[in-house]
Amino acid sequence: MRIVGLTGGIASGKSTVSNLFKANGIPVVDADVVARNVLKKGSGGWKRVVAAFGEEILLPSREVDRPKLGQVVFSSDSKRQLLNKLMAPYISTGIFMEILKQWAKGAKVIVVDIPLLFEVKMDKWTKPIVVVYVNEETQLKRLMERDGLSEEDARNRVMAQMSLDLKRSKADIVIDNNGGLNDLNQQFNKVLSEIRRPLTWTEFWRSRQGAFSVLGLVTSGFFVCKQLNINT
Ligand SMILES: CC(C)(COP(=O)(O)OP(=O)(O)OC[C@H]1O[C@@H](n2cnc3c(N)ncnc32)[C@H](O)[C@@H]1O)[C@@H](O)C(=O)NCCC(=O)NCCS
Ligand SMILES: Nc1ncnc2c1ncn2[C@@H]1O[C@H](COP(=O)(O)OP(=O)(O)OP(=O)(O)O)[C@@H](O)[C@H]1O
């Protein structure tokens, strides 16, 4: 199985690109969705986060008040690191389970959309790595417009991540999303044909089909050897 890593900065356009992959029949595992699920009321992640940050981060429904927790962690490095530490095991297990589900369904190529792919060192599990790049001005403008944030809050969120220039230098494929959606679509089509190229042998053995082929080979090898032993 080919596990494509999709990353970038906050509001650089990862979800927009993810939607293009989905529209073309490529399954996407979204780390933000996994992170949301592990913070649902009553879950293990929720309990640890409430124990560490207190009941003041809860809504009357006792679900986490996400904008409030965002305010807390995006204005303090130490609090963000604490949240990351508490949630990391739940998020990585959740992502692994989603990948496993796709493997069991027989998917040959999947995309894993992880904003913090490099920061949490999950880049070693994905190849190729696609970085959706924008310059800081476009990033801040799109972030402020989409989430209704002040410039200061938007800058805090951008600063909470590895710089996009550094991420770009670590990419196998860069999508420059400074232009409009037509431009993005054209670049996307090239990326799509790149990631749909035939699997390498290593990727093939990692797929469900490859694993069953190994099992089939081992089983028939066993019976052939047994037969040879009987006949000699
Ligand atoms: C702080 C929270 C509650 C704010 O929720 P909110 O709904 O406002 O934002 P959302 O989850 O949609 O995230 C939006 C974007 O913020 C960025 N972001 C989220 N968490 C972090 C973080 N810990 N460090 C840096 N950037 C982050 C990502 O680019 C993400 O795509 C939430 O982001 C969270 O639980 N973060 C910790 C989990 C995490 O690390 N998520 C990233 C997945 S790898
Ligand atoms: N090429 C583009 N032209 C104009 N607007 C765009 C373009 N690409 C994305 N956008 C807009 O920019 C905003 C951010 O994009 P998107 O939500 O895809 O980013 P993201 O990287 O997934 O963000 P996050 O890290 O917060 O999950 C959205 O409002 C989206 O509609």
Side-chain angles (χ1 to χ4, degrees):
M1 184 162 73
R2 174 172 297 148
I3 306 176
V4 178
L6 175 67
T7 192
I10 185 164
S12 71
K14 297 176 301 296
S15 308
T16 310
V17 173
S18 274
N19 289 337
L20 294 173
F21 278 119
K22 286 184 214 157
N24 282 277
I26 312 262
V28 176
V29 174
D30 185 332
D32 280 341
V33 172
V34 171
R36 250 165 250 155
N37 287 336
V38 303
L39 255 196
K40 286 228 169 99
K41 183 170 75 179
S43 66
W46 179 90
K47 285 182 188 145
R48 291 187 80 185
V49 169
V50 176
F53 288 88
E55 302 240 333
E56 53 271 30
I57 56 132
L58 294 180
L59 293 164
S61 65
R62 300 191 63 76
E63 286 290 353
V64 168
D65 184 339
R66 302 178 63 83
K68 196 167 189 181
L69 182 56
Q71 276 292 342
V72 173
V73 299
F74 290 118
S75 47
S76 157
D77 281 353
S78 59
K79 289 192 176 145
R80 192 177 58 259
Q81 275 158 22
L82 173 63
L83 180 69
N84 290 349
K85 202 172 101 191
L86 294 174
M87 290 182 70
Y90 297 97
I91 296 177
S92 42
T93 308
I95 292 173
F96 177 74
M97 294 309 288
E98 291 300 316
I99 294 175
L100 204 59
K101 273 190 212 160
Q102 292 302 333
W103 180 89
K105 282 186 190 166
K108 293 194 176 71
V109 179
I110 66 163
V111 170
V112 188
D113 174 353
I114 313 186
L116 307 180
L117 182 78
F118 296 114
E119 290 91 330
V120 299
K121 300 191 171 41
M122 281 179 93
D123 50 318
K124 52 180 176 283
W125 304 109
T126 60
K127 185 88 187 161
I129 293 173
V130 180
V131 168
V132 186
Y133 177 82
V134 282
N135 59 40
E136 200 178 293
E137 193 190 336
T138 311
Q139 186 178 21
L140 284 171
K141 185 172 166 281
R142 288 184 185 161
L143 178 56
M144 284 156 62
E145 270 170 23
R146 189 195 61 185
D147 293 351
L149 295 177
S150 68
E151 185 172 339
E152 191 194 351
D153 283 347
R155 278 191 191 281
N156 280 341
R157 281 166 205 240
V158 170
M159 297 294 285
Q161 301 183 342
M162 181 188 284
S163 90
L164 256 174
D165 285 321
L166 184 53
K167 288 189 180 179
R168 179 169 62 167
S169 72
K170 291 169 177 273
D172 299 304
I173 301 172
V174 177
I175 296 180
D176 186 325
N177 193 24
N178 285 301
L181 292 172
N182 280 343
D183 185 16
L184 177 64
N185 265 304
Q186 277 175 17
Q187 293 182 65
F188 174 78
N189 287 334
K190 285 192 198 140
V191 175
L192 189 62
S193 46
E194 174 81 4
I195 71 150
R196 273 182 171 158
R197 70 185 191 281
L199 298 190
T200 62
W201 280 109
T202 317
E203 290 168 335
F204 174 72
W205 298 128
R206 264 200 239 125
S207 67
R208 188 189 66 174
Q209 204 190 350
F212 283 137
S213 307
V214 173
L215 197 65
L217 282 171
V218 171
T219 314
S220 40
F222 173 77
F223 283 114
V224 168
C225 289
K226 212 170 157 197
Q227 206 60 40
L228 286 174
N229 276 345
I230 290 167
N231 294 339
T232 53

